[in-house]
Amino acid sequence: MAGDKYPFVSIVMPVRNERHYIQQSLEAVLAQDYPRQCMEILIVDGMSEDGTREYVYEQQGCVPNLCLLDNPGKIVPVGLNIAIAKAKGEIVVRVDGHCVIAPDYVRRCVEYLEREPVVGVGGPMETIGETPTARTIALAMSSPFGVGNSAFRVRVNVHRYVDTIPFPAYRMSTLQAAGPFDETLIRNQDDEYNYRLRAMGGKLLFAPDVRSKYYSRSSLRALWKQYFQYGFFKVRVLQKHPAQFSLRQFVPPAFVGALLVGLVSSVFTVPMRYFLLGLILTYGVVNLGVSLRIAMHHGWEHLLRLPLTFAILHIAYGLGFWTGLLTLGWRFLKTGKM
């Protein structure tokens, strides 16, 4: 940034029932080394019932430029659209309630947007957990076997252009040109939006020094729900943008589809029983091998939970995808519309 000219930044935080994490997240925003007078913080609350709203309301009395907005729609894309419509910044940075950004996060994002030919900036996200189960989930979500080659999750340490980025910084002019977030997407709204930006000719920069931490789900049940929704709403994204498809995203649906076909067919034919057994054994051996390697480096206490955690990541996503596909097909049969 040249001289004393700092672009005004709007930090938007869509949250709902985040009382356990909102304090760390907000404190990280307030600890930025970017000039405080050049920032505003817009927390858009999805009608929380756990004390999140009360905490933010209390902070408004002592934090300049902090604004609490209502999100009656309760979901992230609605909250983002509400915040962006109210934002005054030249640059908009999204921060989630489960996220803790590094002290130089905003400054580095602004610097990259000012000197690089890109429309969005993000960086590696370190997934962390507070409980033993959450720490195992964090390890699985940081593994290529768990989440594929997603640069921001497996912490690739190279500047590169990517398909999507977490907790991104955009120019307001970019957001205005691209239009609002898709409010039908409970999950994957960022993937869909970033595809739109790339379709407009924009580039998204993954910068290793733009660092953040993300608190993983604390239970396997919550992880199942999260990844089932990821798979379910990926179908809607692919419906809107078929060219957005990548092989990495189709591996879990293909695996689950093969399991289901093998399970049904094995009732009628002996060869399919061998196919199903071979598929399960192959997956089990690979899963256990990866789990052993991770436990060797991060603690043997994770070994019993890792295989199940990996299976949840893959099977929940795959089942969600097929459920979304069937739902889309059923809707077309009933209405003639996709």
Side-chain angles (χ1 to χ4, degrees), residues 115-324:
R115 72 170 184 255
E116 300 281 348
V118 297
V119 297
V121 180
M125 180 179 72
E126 179 186 359
T127 307
I128 57 178
E130 295 182 299
T131 66
T133 297
R135 285 190 283 274
T136 300
I137 292 172
L139 289 172
M141 291 178 67
S142 302
S143 163
F145 178 67
V147 296
N149 63 347
S150 178
F152 69 84
R153 289 194 183 276
V154 299
R155 305 189 72 190
V156 174
N157 197 34
V158 179
H159 283 75
R160 57 188 286 194
Y161 297 131
V162 292
D163 292 344
T164 192
I165 42 180
F167 317 129
Y170 303 116
R171 293 184 184 87
M172 176 62 82
S173 58
T174 298
L175 298 176
Q176 291 171 339
F181 282 81
D182 186 340
E183 296 184 356
T184 68
L185 293 171
I186 295 177
R187 300 282 186 188
N188 301 103
Q189 67 280 154
D190 48 353
D191 286 350
E192 190 275 335
Y193 202 82
N194 286 325
Y195 178 84
R196 264 192 273 163
L197 295 178
R198 290 186 289 111
M200 291 167 54
K203 295 179 180 179
L204 302 171
L205 178 66
F206 174 89
D209 54 353
V210 175
R211 297 162 293 117
S212 64
K213 295 181 179 180
Y214 174 83
Y215 288 97
S216 70
R217 293 301 186 269
S218 59
S219 72
L220 296 178
R221 180 179 180 181
L223 182 68
W224 176 280
K225 180 180 178 181
Q226 179 185 16
Y227 269 75
F228 184 90
Q229 290 180 337
Y230 281 151
F232 185 92
F233 287 101
K234 176 57 71 176
V235 174
R236 167 64 176 157
V237 175
L238 293 176
Q239 177 204 354
K240 292 185 67 175
H241 310 294
Q244 202 253 0
F245 171 84
S246 72
L247 182 62
R248 168 177 65 87
Q249 297 162 347
F250 195 67
V251 171
F255 172 61
V256 170
L259 283 177
L260 293 174
V261 170
L263 186 62
V264 173
S265 301
S266 65
V267 176
F268 306 102
T269 64
V270 173
M272 288 307 295
R273 295 175 194 170
Y274 288 113
F275 166 79
L276 179 62
L277 180 62
L279 182 63
I280 293 173
L281 286 176
T282 300
Y283 177 79
V285 168
V286 174
N287 188 338
L288 183 59
V290 173
S291 299
L292 280 167
R293 181 172 55 81
I294 293 174
M296 189 181 304
H297 289 92
H298 297 278
W300 292 108
E301 68 273 13
H302 297 289
L303 183 57
L304 293 178
R305 292 186 294 265
L306 273 169
L308 179 58
T309 304
F310 281 129
I312 286 173
L313 290 175
H314 301 146
I315 295 175
Y317 186 99
L319 283 176
F321 185 93
W322 286 112
T323 303

Side-chain angles (χ1 to χ4, degrees), residues 16 44-47 53 69-75 78-79 82:
R16 183 168 190 268
V44 199
D45 180 67
M47 318 314 289
R53 295 175 62 82
L69 302 172
D70 288 341
N71 172 13
K74 299 183 179 180
I75 61 174
V78 175
I82 290 170

